Amino acid sequence: MVEIFSNLLIPLIILYIVIYGSYKKVDIYDSFVRGAVEGLKATWSILPYIIGIFLAIGIFKTGKGIEVLEFIFTPIAKLMSIPKELIGLIIVKPLSGSGALGMYAELAGRVGIDTIIEKMGSTIVGASETIFYTMAIYYGSLKIKNTRHTLSCAMLSHVAGVLASVFI
């Protein structure tokens, strides 16, 4: 039942948009084309920021930055009862969603499925955001230089998500 509903949901939404647009006498095709052009312009304007964040992440990973941060944060993690196997995942998740998924897959293979550490890792991946990537995209596309408290609040929410994942 759920599979049938999920397979029909997007076509039904598209059908609703077409019917509603026709009812409101909107040129649907023209609106679609203008929206596509706007989307391409937005993509083109944020492309340098995307390339920059991916380049920085690649340099960080290749340059053994994760290993250094794992070494630095191990005593703090031990103090907070966070398993050392999760430290790399906790560090990478704010930087890269795909990198975090790769680290999670490696973690699950190493500690096993349905272990407490694997469950903590999967919750961390699902309960936190790729902060730096998201900030680069949104603020970069809008040309915002002063991010005010965004980074500190986002990192605080990441820490809260990690702690909840571990302790709950």
Side-chain angles (χ1 to χ4, degrees):
M1 182 66 179
V2 173
E3 187 176 335
I4 293 170
F5 178 73
S6 64
N7 287 337
L8 289 176
L9 187 61
I10 293 185
L12 288 173
I13 291 172
I14 292 171
L15 182 64
Y16 172 76
I17 291 169
V18 170
I19 292 171
Y20 187 75
S22 298
Y23 172 73
K24 290 289 189 175
K25 299 191 179 13
V26 173
D27 185 354
I28 299 164
Y29 184 73
D30 184 56
S31 297
F32 172 77
V33 170
R34 279 187 284 136
V37 168
E38 292 289 322
L40 288 173
K41 286 179 184 176
T43 302
W44 185 252
S45 71
I46 64 173
L47 191 61
Y49 300 97
I50 293 172
I51 292 171
I53 195 73
F54 282 143
L55 184 64
I57 291 167
I59 291 169
F60 184 71
K61 284 181 180 176
T62 306
K64 305 294 183 199
I66 294 172
E67 286 84 359
V68 171
L69 288 176
E70 281 178 344
F71 178 76
I72 291 169
F73 286 115
T74 296
I76 298 168
K78 194 177 289 184
L79 184 69
M80 300 174 81
S81 303
I82 297 173
K84 64 179 170 62
E85 295 88 354
L86 297 175
I87 296 172
L89 182 63
I90 293 167
I91 293 169
V92 169
K93 181 58 181 176
L95 300 170
S96 167
S98 59
L101 283 175
M103 289 190 79
Y104 166 72
E106 186 270 327
L107 173 77
R110 192 166 21 104
V111 300
I113 301 295
D114 280 342
T115 61
I116 190 69
I117 292 174
E118 181 271 336
K119 289 178 182 179
M120 289 176 188
S122 66
T123 307
I124 290 169
V125 170
S128 56
E129 180 60 70
T130 53
I131 297 166
F132 294 100
Y133 174 78
T134 305
M135 285 181 65
I137 297 301
Y138 288 125
Y139 287 137
S141 67
L142 298 173
K143 309 282 190 268
I144 296 173
K145 302 283 188 229
N146 184 6
T147 61
R148 295 190 42 114
H149 306 292
T150 305
L151 181 60
S152 57
C153 290
M155 291 303 289
L156 184 63
S157 73
H158 176 66
V159 169
V162 167
L163 293 176
S165 301
V166 170
F167 293 112
I168 294 174

